[in-house]
Amino acid sequence: MIERVLQIGNKCAKLPLIQGGMGVGVSLSKLAGAVAKEGGIGIISTAQIGFREPDFMTDSKAANLRAMTDELKKAREIAGPDSHGLIGYNIMVATKDYPEYIRTAAEAGADVIISGAGLPVDMPAYVEGYDTKIAPIVSSEKAANIILKRWDRNYKRTADFVVIEGAHAGGHLGFSQEQLSHLNDDDYEKNYDLEIKKIIECVRRYANKYLTKIPVIVAGGIMNRAQADHAFSLGADGVQVATPFVTTEECDASREFKEAYIHASKDDIEIIKSPVGMPGRAIHNRFLDRISQGKDSISRCFRCLERCNPSTAPYCITQALIRAVQGDVDNGLVFCGDNAQYLTRITTVKDVIASIL
């Protein structure tokens, strides 16, 4: 087992591992609590987190904000009072009413908030006065510098930690279609390793300015000890892992959702365009076949993503993700990382962590 703690300001996790946030409903209290119980950092995704609430259809925002607090409380109960892990949220910048979600997370007592799917340039304003630690998700040195420069200039502070998410990750990706087309080039991995080192150097400059340590976490496609060791060799302080946790007993998704991963082959995993134009990675199914033939019907707007327009969107991503996580994987959207093809059985959080660290 890799013996190193992950110190984030005055908060500490026994293990240098973050469980990545997965919505809708894939990483909620059961998964995040189990990871924290083992000493890692468990992350609850706030993406339509209240989909099981009775008023979700009529007031999704109120349902989501209420569910955020409830899920964090349940996760802490699962982790237990003697846990050496941390619990927090993943909140997408693209979320409608983003500031309110960040404030709710801080008020609920989250240890950490991780934010991507956009540039969280104003996130510090929403956690002022709270002890919640915040991290942007970046995929390039340019993005890291933009965010940290804005936080420095406008809020006289810097990040508590930074997550670097590579192109092998699941769900929405911080890369263009053109960039993703080079993923299988012979020199891609070597070049992106250099980009990771540039990001780490950028973060280090701001850490030195503020006389602090800013841990850097590497994410995207990590599922074994060799890949984790490689990330540490580049200068990472920890790794973030998501897809391998889907096929665990503790994952909040349905059994059918987990089995979609288990039965997926390399050829089943593809890059798609989400309703807001962002590329994402998902498992091919009948739903993707259907929407490739024309626009799906949208009966209501759940106010999930800022840039989504129901009148022009090819389908409702909220409805598609909810159907999948509840078990209708043929008629829903099944996001995944590009390592899903290697998952062949239902395991446990403890086993996943052991295989990585």
Side-chain angles (χ1 to χ4, degrees):
M1 181 70 74
I2 292 174
E3 296 289 341
R4 61 166 85 185
V5 300
L6 184 54
Q7 188 77 38
I8 302 175
N10 62 348
K11 298 181 185 293
C12 179
K14 178 183 176 183
L15 302 176
L17 181 142
I18 298 175
Q19 159 254 312
M22 296 171 283
V24 169
V26 180
S27 64
L28 297 176
S29 56
K30 286 171 59 181
L31 179 56
V35 171
K37 185 175 183 177
E38 295 297 325
I41 300 180
I43 299 296
I44 297 166
S45 169
T46 66
Q48 301 298 49
I49 188 174
F51 73 99
R52 297 180 296 197
E53 296 292 306
D55 58 343
F56 179 75
M57 298 294 286
T58 56
D59 192 347
S60 57
K61 177 182 171 183
N64 288 336
L65 296 178
R66 182 172 61 253
M68 283 177 63
T69 300
D70 291 344
E71 290 294 327
L72 181 64
K73 181 180 179 181
K74 288 189 287 186
R76 291 209 185 282
E77 290 172 353
I78 292 169
D82 299 324
S83 166
H84 292 288
L86 303 174
I87 302 173
Y89 299 98
N90 178 290
I91 306 177
M92 297 188 295
V93 179
T95 303
K96 282 186 184 293
D97 303 307
Y98 172 74
E100 202 163 344
Y101 281 81
I102 296 290
R103 291 192 185 101
T104 298
E107 289 169 3
D111 293 313
V112 301
I113 301 173
I114 299 171
S115 194
L119 301 181
V121 291
D122 295 317
M123 184 160 59
Y126 313 135
V127 298
E128 191 171 351
Y130 295 95
D131 192 33
T132 298
K133 306 307 178 185
I134 57 175
I137 297 176
V138 300
S139 297
S140 67
E141 178 194 20
K142 179 180 179 181
N145 193 51
I146 289 172
I147 295 166
L148 297 180
K149 187 175 182 179
R150 286 281 290 272
W151 289 16
D152 176 36
R153 184 181 65 200
N154 295 347
Y155 302 105
K156 304 298 185 288
R157 63 158 296 171
T158 192
D160 296 304
F161 61 113
V162 172
V163 176
I164 303 174
E165 190 169 273
H168 295 288
H172 287 114
L173 303 170
F175 298 85
S176 67
Q177 291 281 0
E178 197 279 329
Q179 288 173 318
L180 292 170
S181 69
H182 296 288
L183 193 55
N184 294 318
D185 291 356
D186 291 340
D187 59 351
Y188 181 85
E189 303 301 334
K190 180 181 178 181
N191 288 339
Y192 198 68
D193 282 353
L194 293 176
E195 187 70 19
I196 289 173
K197 290 181 178 180
K198 290 179 182 177
I199 296 170
I200 291 173
E201 184 56 37
C202 173
V203 172
R204 193 169 291 147
R205 289 197 299 271
Y206 286 92
N208 290 339
K209 179 173 182 177
Y210 283 87
L211 302 177
T212 190
K213 165 73 174 174
I214 305 176
V216 175
I217 315 301
V218 169
I222 296 172
M223 67 177 302
N224 58 45
R225 173 68 187 259
Q227 291 167 322
D229 283 344
H230 180 68
F232 290 124
S233 75
L234 298 175
D237 300 284
V239 293
Q240 178 175 287
V241 177
T243 294
F245 283 113
V246 172
T247 52
T248 62
E249 294 287 357
E250 299 92 338
C251 176
D252 296 86
S254 67
R255 184 81 179 195
E256 293 85 355
F257 189 92
K258 299 173 187 181
E259 288 178 351
Y261 277 53
I262 291 171
H263 298 308
S265 68
K266 179 180 179 181
D267 293 338
D268 292 326
I269 300 171
E270 62 181 89
I271 301 296
I272 65 164
K273 180 186 280 190
S274 85
V276 292
M278 298 171 65
R281 182 173 281 110
I283 296 174
H284 188 85
N285 59 4
R286 290 207 296 265
F287 172 74
L288 293 180
D289 281 334
R290 188 174 78 242
I291 62 169
S292 70
Q293 302 301 313
K295 190 176 183 292
D296 209 16
S297 62
I298 299 177
S299 57
R300 74 169 66 233
C301 177
F302 293 91
R303 295 179 51 80
C304 60
L305 299 177
E306 193 65 52
R307 290 165 50 196
C308 185
N309 182 349
S311 64
T312 58
Y315 61 93
C316 174
I317 194 168
T318 286
Q319 291 177 320
L321 290 170
I322 289 175
R323 285 196 297 265
V325 78
Q326 290 183 326
D328 188 1
V329 294
D330 288 329
N331 295 297
L333 180 59
V334 185
F335 274 147
C336 70
D338 75 352
N339 54 15
Q341 59 184 298
Y342 300 109
L343 302 172
T344 59
R345 63 188 179 92
I346 302 295
T347 181
T348 66
V349 162
K350 192 179 190 73
D351 287 342
V352 170
I353 292 175
S355 69
I356 294 164
L357 299 183

